[in-house]
Amino acid sequence: MARQEVYSPLPGMFYRRPSPDAGPFKQEGDTVAVGDVIGLVEVMKQFSEITTEVAGTLIKFTVEDTAPVDPGQVIAIIEG
């Protein structure tokens, strides 16, 4: 099985859930399909969805919920 890294396309804050009182898009160990949303990056009140480009199992988030991210930073690792 190959491991794929999911990168942040933008600088900002990373969120794992669509709103503070909602459940997470995905959790570690979840199965993901191509195009699934795993989080959001917020820049100046604009939210961009972070989607997967591969199918497999979300092995690990490398960024905590509500933590800052830089462009090109690895957000998650998927094994598929």
Side-chain angles (χ1 to χ4, degrees):
M1 295 197 154
R3 287 187 173 212
Q4 299 286 324
E5 296 175 332
V6 179
Y7 301 98
S8 175
L10 306 163
M13 298 296 288
F14 178 66
Y15 296 95
R16 291 186 191 175
R17 55 190 76 230
S19 66
D21 46 345
F25 290 106
K26 295 288 181 183
Q27 297 185 17
E28 294 176 351
D30 283 355
T31 299
V32 295
V34 174
D36 279 357
V37 176
I38 63 167
L40 303 170
V41 173
E42 180 262 325
V43 181
M44 298 181 71
K45 304 298 180 196
Q46 291 195 336
F47 293 85
S48 298
E49 293 182 341
I50 305 300
T51 58
T52 60
E53 296 181 2
V54 296
T57 302
L58 198 159
I59 300 298
K60 178 180 180 181
F61 280 104
T62 57
V63 176
E64 294 296 321
D65 189 29
T66 70
V69 293
D70 293 318
Q73 183 175 350
V74 176
I75 291 175
I77 298 172
I78 296 172
E79 188 172 80

